[in-house]
Amino acid sequence: MQQLPRKGHTMKDYKKYFIIPADPAEVYLALTNPATIQLWSGETAEMSTEPDSEFQLFDGSIAGKNLAFEENNKIVQEWYFGEQEEPSVVTIKLHPHKNGTSAELRHTNIPDEAFPDITEGWEKVYFGNLIAFYEEE
């Protein structure tokens, strides 16, 4: 059987749920307000809830474009990874949970070579720091 030539690199998708000990309105604010992002991440952030605005997190190590927002419910962003044919899209949906908020993360089209760093970043740095921030309160 002949294999079709692959264009560029292979891409992966990542989906995971994180339980955050704060209500969805607080978590939404923590993910969209630059001052709050700086509190839990410890790094500067540029963020706005305007669709089509550019954002930068963790002192510029994550950059992209905000695509859509549903207040206290959903955030959709495009993350930049150099030149990519298909955009890498991050969707975070916030659901009320008995222990606070269940954050449903879906990140599509992650370049193969970036996948281990990105998944570890989501777990330890992004949601890891956010969860620790609320657990300390």
Side-chain angles (χ1 to χ4, degrees):
M1 197 167 98
Q2 187 183 359
Q3 280 195 311
L4 293 171
R6 277 198 302 233
K7 269 185 153 180
H9 300 288
T10 56
M11 301 300 209
K12 289 184 174 169
D13 291 354
Y14 176 68
K15 186 174 182 181
K16 188 161 179 171
Y17 288 84
F18 297 89
I19 305 301
I20 302 154
D23 68 50
E26 282 183 274
V27 174
Y28 180 83
L29 191 66
L31 297 178
T32 58
N33 180 306
T36 314
I37 294 168
Q38 197 163 337
L39 282 177
W40 63 262
S41 73
E43 311 242 14
T44 59
E46 287 176 36
M47 175 61 93
S48 129
T49 50
E50 285 296 311
D52 290 330
S53 62
E54 302 261 324
F55 72 90
Q56 286 192 1
L57 305 173
F58 298 99
D59 212 17
S61 59
I62 297 169
K65 183 165 73 171
N66 290 308
L67 302 179
F69 294 93
E70 285 175 31
E71 191 170 354
N72 304 335
N73 187 28
K74 186 173 162 185
I75 299 164
V76 185
Q77 298 172 323
E78 178 183 335
W79 282 28
Y80 299 152
F81 290 102
E83 292 301 311
Q84 258 184 237
E85 290 174 33
E86 291 287 316
S88 180
V89 176
V90 167
T91 304
I92 299 172
K93 292 181 184 172
L94 305 175
H95 308 282
H97 185 276
K98 65 180 195 290
N99 296 325
T101 299
S102 170
E104 175 189 338
L105 166 70
R106 184 170 163 79
H107 191 167
T108 63
N109 286 323
I110 304 167
D112 233 358
E113 66 276 7
F115 193 79
D117 287 344
I118 290 294
T119 54
E120 184 178 327
W122 277 120
E123 291 168 24
K124 293 191 174 148
V125 181
Y126 198 99
F127 281 105
N129 281 341
L130 186 62
I131 292 164
F133 176 75
Y134 284 109
E135 284 176 341
E136 286 167 13
E137 284 194 341

